């Protein structure tokens, strides 16, 4: 729409067709100022768009200075019309201004929105119960289309600009005016924003600009074309809350994040496809299908040039049959599935993920505003050669190398600060050594907000992590949380935080009398001790704390297991298994080797710990529910205790069989017996194959369970045997099917006496076959021939 001074270019955010139309319109209109829908604070950083290092996709990040968690994003891709307008202005040294409401209004205390961009400024009582209707959906419905995305692609995205580059914007403005005249799609927030935009257009006129281009959402064009009085707009804006102070900068963005509903709420499903449409000259379909074929070939799918040719023909034919001007994404993907993927949805999903969406990650210049913590992280990323990337990748570290150890410390420190750039992963290299770590790295744009939040703890990554660890320890209420924090501090190399964390841990452990809490806290401390040899950390205080916790667990475990219900018993069984493994590492006598982080003092504190733990397990195994379930330990825990003693060689198989026979006797409740069996067999059922007596006892008990209680114990037994190895289950089933397990196998039948006459008759034939001379006795003798 064009008047004497202002050209209103109504666009759809993140639309390649709109971006091409804006580029052509700006060339034709030749404005002396460009106004763009976006937060007014962005005026301070828009000049950075002239830097070559600012590579889309990028986003404007605004956050409240006093509360960085309150943040909003305005993302731009290379095919975003706003980005095209920004580049047009900075390349020609034209003034460019952002004219939407300042982001600070959205961060006002009265606003309670938690999303990427606040929806209401401010909260109002006359907001409609339903969200405003989608204008594109209304227009598509009026045009007889049931798919607004497909309709918009046909009329805008797939069409090249004509002779008059402003004509499409006039048509869109007329359509939006018809919707606005019916009051469709309007909200109070839109009215506030449009009042502010009109004020900024007036300011541009007062600044002496005569040819102004305004790039904004098409829905706002009718409201900006008709200017009400200044007093009217001022009255509207007087309702705004007090503006909070906000900082703004550029951050890298990704195509994958563009595919989500962020920023303007205009999340698109195919940013990779739109990028291809915008950057490709001529027919985009053949080139895109060529890229798809290249991707599939790289993944070992048999795709040839003939496949590409047929796929292009199919996509074009489908477009003609469906009445579309060009083959769109729907037709192209149908062709990919039918021809390139040969009907495979798995291969098609690969194309969707890599090409339709993509993992493109933008870049920002070092001159962009950033908190000191962000700059320190960037310095560490460069020095350690860890470049952020949107595509997930695996990283294996050898902690014996200085660079890899420093990388490990950085990733652990970032996790402590809430920046999950790296997540521990299972290594493809089988290794039980503590010198190897594996990570899964994937950079997300929202990490910029978390880094801004973490800046309150310090100006460097190490300082912030130390302060965050101390603050977390002081606020912790669970002992397991503190021991996990100690482990994190060791992994992250935060020696400055360990003394304060250990003091809090000692105080909490002294006051906590819950054995379950103590048992849950011990494994993390012992795991921390394992890193001493590689990371060179002093573990004297840790070993003492771990030994103290272990002693208290040994003393308190048997009585703590009495009267537990099924859910609590299952949780306690998991803790018993973890403590058992921890004590095996902690006591040098338990495994026949030095304990992790072993020192003379630590060894003295842990000597005999394995024996005391075994005594606790024996005591637990004997706590039978003589007077009812509340008077003894659950069968699940008693059976588990017996199995752990058996595996450690502190109980022989004969004694284990005796205990199994007792618990499976008629005096025991079937449900308790089934729980005992579950605890005993958890972790492996091969012992039933090595000791047939145990299997026979179990089979005899199971066949004797009454019908009235069989359905009660069946789920427990199914769960128990489902946890056994597949080969063990198969072998047990075969032995049970072969016959009674307690009966000795029958002796083989003895052979009858030899019929010598019949045997002698066969000798000539055998001699002929063997090529020897037969020797047949003339008379039968007592010897074999």
């Amino acid at each position: 729409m064009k008047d004497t001074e202002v050209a209103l270019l109504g666009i759809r955010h993140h639309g390649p067709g709109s971006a091409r139309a804006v580029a052509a319109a700006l060339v034709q209109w030749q404005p002396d100022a460009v106004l763009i829908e976006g937060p007014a604070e962005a005026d301070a950083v828009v000049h950075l768009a002239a830097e070559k290092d600012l590579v889309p996709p990028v986003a404007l990040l605004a956050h409240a200075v006093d509360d960085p968690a309150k943040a909003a994003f305005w993302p731009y891709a290379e095919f975003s019309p706003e980005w095209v307008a920004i580049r047009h202005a900075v390349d020609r040294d034209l003034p460019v201004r952002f004219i939407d409401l300042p982001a600070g209004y959205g961060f006002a205390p009265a606003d309670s929105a938690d999303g990427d961009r606040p929806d209401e400024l401010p909260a109002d009582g006359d907001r409609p119960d339903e969200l405003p209707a989608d204008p594109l959906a209304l227009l598509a419905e009026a045009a007889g289309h049931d798919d607004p995305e497909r309709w918009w692609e046909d009329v805008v995205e797939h069409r090249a600009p004509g002779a008059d580059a402003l004509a499409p914007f006039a048509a869109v403005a007329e359509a939006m005016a018809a919707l606005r005249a019916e009051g469709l799609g309007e909200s109070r927030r839109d009215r506030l924003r449009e009042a502010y935009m009109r004020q900024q257009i007036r300011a541009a006129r007062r600044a002496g600009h005569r040819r102004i281009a305004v790039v904004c959402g098409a829905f706002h064009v009718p409201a900006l074309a008709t200017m009400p009085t200044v007093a009217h707009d001022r009255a509207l804006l007087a309702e705004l809350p007090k503006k909070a102070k906000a900082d703004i900068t550029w951050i890298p963005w990704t195509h994958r994040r563009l595919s989500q509903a962020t920023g303007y709420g205009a999340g698109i499903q195919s940013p990779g496809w739109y990028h291809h449409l915008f950057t490709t000259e001529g027919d985009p379909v053949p080139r895109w299908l060529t890229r798809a074929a290249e991707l599939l070939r790289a993944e070992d799918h048999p795709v040839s040039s003939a496949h590409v040719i047929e796929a292009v023909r199919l996509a074009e034919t489908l477009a003609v049959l469906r009445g579309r001007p060009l083959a769109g994404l729907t037709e192209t993907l149908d062709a990919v599935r039918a021809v390139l993927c040969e009907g495979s949805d798995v291969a098609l999903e690969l194309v969707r993920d890599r090409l339709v969406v993509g993992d493109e990650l933008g870049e920002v210049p070092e001159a962009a505003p950033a908190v000191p913590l962000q700059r320190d992280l960037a310095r560490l990323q460069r020095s350690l050669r860890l470049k952020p990337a949107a595509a997930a990748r695996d990283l294996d570290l050898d902690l014996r190398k200085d660079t890899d150890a420093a990388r490990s410390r950085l990733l652990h420190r970032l996790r402590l600060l809430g920046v999950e750039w790296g997540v521990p992963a299972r290594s493809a290299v089988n290794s039980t050594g503590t010198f190897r770590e594996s990570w899964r790295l994937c950079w997300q744009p929202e990490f910029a907000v978390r880094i801004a939040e973490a800046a309150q703890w310090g100006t460097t990554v190490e300082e912030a992590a130390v302060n965050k660890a101390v603050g977390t320890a002081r606020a912790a209420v669970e002992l397991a949380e503190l021991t996990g924090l100690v482990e994190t501090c060791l992994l992250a190399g935060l020696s400055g935080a360990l003394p304060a964390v250990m003091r809090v841990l000692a105080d909490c452990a002294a006051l906590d009398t819950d054995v379950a809490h103590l048992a849950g806290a011990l494994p993390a401390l012992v795991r921390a001790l394992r890193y001493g040899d590689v990371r060179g950390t002093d573990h004297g205080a840790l070993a003492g704390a771990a030994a103290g916790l272990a002693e208290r667990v040994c003393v308190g475990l048997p009585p703590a297991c009495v009267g537990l219900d099924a859910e609590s018993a299952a949780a306690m069984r998991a803790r018993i298994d973890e403590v058992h493994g921890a004590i095996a590492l902690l006591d040098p006598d338990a495994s026949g080797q030095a304990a992790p982080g072993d020192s003379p003092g630590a060894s003295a504190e842990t000597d005999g710990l394995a024996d005391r733990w075994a005594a606790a397990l024996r005591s637990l195994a004997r706590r039978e529910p003589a007077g009812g379930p509340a008077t003894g330990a659950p069968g699940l825990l008693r059976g588990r205790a017996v199995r752990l003693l058996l595996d450690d060689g502190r109980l022989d198989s004969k004694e284990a069989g005796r205990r199994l026979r007792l618990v499976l006797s008629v005096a025991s409740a079937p449900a308790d017996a089934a729980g005992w069996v579950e605890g005993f067999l958890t972790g492996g059922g091969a012992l039933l194959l090595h000791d047939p007596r145990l299997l026979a006892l179990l089979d005899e008990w199971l066949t004797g369970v009454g019908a009235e209680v069989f359905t009660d114990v069946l789920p427990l037994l199914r769960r128990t045997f489902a946890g056994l190895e597949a080969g063990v289950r198969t072998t047990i089933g075969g032995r049970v099917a072969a016959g009674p397990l307690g009966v000795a196998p029958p002796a083989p039948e003895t052979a009858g006496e030899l019929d010598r006459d019949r045997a002698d008759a066969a000798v000539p034939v055998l001699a002929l076959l063997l090529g020897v001379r037969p020797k047949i006795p003339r008379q039968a003798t007592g010897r074999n021939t």
Side-chain angles (χ1 to χ4, degrees), residues 357-435:
V357 177
D359 288 310
E360 191 77 15
L361 176 66
E363 299 178 8
V364 299
E366 294 184 7
V371 295
L373 180 61
Q374 174 67 63
R375 296 195 182 281
D376 183 61
L377 174 58
R379 177 187 62 81
L380 291 172
Q381 289 171 334
R382 289 192 300 270
S383 63
L384 297 177
R385 298 186 298 278
L386 280 177
K387 184 178 181 181
R393 67 185 182 96
D394 293 327
L395 177 67
D396 288 325
L397 301 178
D398 185 343
L399 301 181
R400 296 170 295 185
K401 300 178 181 178
D402 292 341
T403 300
D404 282 359
R407 289 172 174 173
S408 173
R409 289 192 294 270
L410 174 62
L411 294 174
H412 281 293
R413 289 170 181 175
L414 290 176
R415 293 194 74 205
L416 181 60
L417 294 172
V419 181
E420 299 277 346
W421 177 23
V423 178
R426 185 180 180 86
S427 174
V429 180
N430 292 325
S431 174
T432 58
T434 57
F435 62 84

Side-chain angles (χ1 to χ4, degrees), residues 264-288:
Y264 293 106
I268 55 177
Q269 299 178 355
S270 51
W273 168 257
Y274 275 8
H275 181 270
H276 178 78
L277 290 181
F278 183 72
T279 57
T280 302
E281 298 291 338
D283 189 354
V285 174
R287 289 180 175 84
W288 195 85

Side-chain angles (χ1 to χ4, degrees), residues 20 71 177 369 382 422 435 478 570 612 633 648 686 706 741 745 762 775:
R20 285 192 298 267
R382 289 192 300 270
F435 62 84
E478 294 288 343
R612 292 189 288 278
D648 281 355
L741 297 173
K775 295 182 179 180

Side-chain angles (χ1 to χ4, degrees), residues 164-436:
D164 183 2
L166 297 176
F169 296 102
V172 171
E174 182 180 357
M176 292 299 170
L179 289 178
R180 298 293 291 263
E182 299 293 331
L184 299 176
E186 288 191 17
S187 69
R188 181 169 176 270
R189 177 175 181 265
D190 287 329
R191 293 193 292 271
L192 289 171
R193 294 174 58 203
E194 290 160 357
Y196 191 87
M197 292 183 197
R198 289 192 292 264
Q199 292 285 62
Q200 299 308 304
I201 294 174
R202 294 186 183 105
R205 285 173 171 172
R206 289 195 301 269
H209 299 297
R210 290 294 174 261
R211 296 181 68 81
I212 303 171
V214 179
V215 180
C216 63
F219 184 75
H220 303 301
V221 169
L224 302 184
T226 303
M227 287 281 188
T229 64
V230 176
H232 174 272
D233 288 342
R234 286 178 178 173
L236 276 176
L237 296 176
E239 303 174 10
L240 289 171
K242 183 180 178 180
K243 183 172 66 172
K245 186 178 180 181
D247 283 343
I248 196 166
T249 187
W250 292 101
I251 64 169
W253 206 251
T254 66
H255 277 176
R256 194 167 300 278
R257 284 289 284 152
L258 273 174
S259 67
Q260 302 175 17
T262 58
Y264 293 106
I268 55 177
Q269 299 178 355
S270 51
W273 168 257
Y274 275 8
H275 181 270
H276 178 78
L277 290 181
F278 183 72
T279 57
T280 302
E281 298 291 338
D283 189 354
V285 174
R287 289 180 175 84
W288 195 85
L289 287 172
T290 301
R291 292 176 58 200
E294 181 181 2
L295 170 65
L296 291 172
R297 281 197 296 268
E299 298 293 332
D300 295 330
H301 291 273
V303 180
S304 66
S305 56
H307 286 85
V308 177
I309 294 172
E310 290 303 318
V312 171
R313 290 175 178 171
L314 179 57
E316 293 174 347
T317 302
L318 289 174
V320 173
L321 291 174
R322 295 169 181 175
R324 307 193 67 179
L326 289 173
L329 180 60
T330 303
E331 289 73 29
T332 306
L333 288 180
D334 286 344
V336 169
R337 176 192 283 112
V339 181
L340 303 187
C341 300
E342 297 180 346
S344 171
D345 287 334
V346 175
L348 179 65
E349 191 59 34
L350 177 67
V351 175
R352 287 183 184 275
D353 184 69
R354 301 280 185 85
L355 296 184
V356 177
V357 177
D359 288 310
E360 191 77 15
L361 176 66
E363 299 178 8
V364 299
E366 294 184 7
V371 295
L373 180 61
Q374 174 67 63
R375 296 195 182 281
D376 183 61
L377 174 58
R379 177 187 62 81
L380 291 172
Q381 289 171 334
R382 289 192 300 270
S383 63
L384 297 177
R385 298 186 298 278
L386 280 177
K387 184 178 181 181
R393 67 185 182 96
D394 293 327
L395 177 67
D396 288 325
L397 301 178
D398 185 343
L399 301 181
R400 296 170 295 185
K401 300 178 181 178
D402 292 341
T403 300
D404 282 359
R407 289 172 174 173
S408 173
R409 289 192 294 270
L410 174 62
L411 294 174
H412 281 293
R413 289 170 181 175
L414 290 176
R415 293 194 74 205
L416 181 60
L417 294 172
V419 181
E420 299 277 346
W421 177 23
V423 178
R426 185 180 180 86
S427 174
V429 180
N430 292 325
S431 174
T432 58
T434 57
F435 62 84
R436 183 178 296 279

Side-chain angles (χ1 to χ4, degrees), residues 696-715:
L697 286 172
L698 185 60
D699 179 65
E700 181 182 357
W701 169 77
L702 183 58
T703 55
V705 172
E708 64 279 2
V709 296
F710 181 78
T711 55
D712 295 333
V713 302
L714 183 59

Side-chain angles (χ1 to χ4, degrees), residues 111 155 165 204 304 463 494 569 634 717 769:
D111 180 54
V155 300
S304 66
E463 179 188 3
L494 301 178
L717 295 172
L769 293 174

Side-chain angles (χ1 to χ4, degrees), residues 730-754:
T730 302
T731 306
I732 289 177
R735 291 190 178 181
V736 172
L741 297 173
V743 180
E749 296 182 1
T750 57
E753 292 192 14
L754 179 64

Side-chain angles (χ1 to χ4, degrees), residues 684-686 689 721-734:
L689 304 180
F721 283 92
L724 302 182
E725 302 87 341
V728 172
R729 292 200 306 268
T730 302
T731 306
I732 289 177

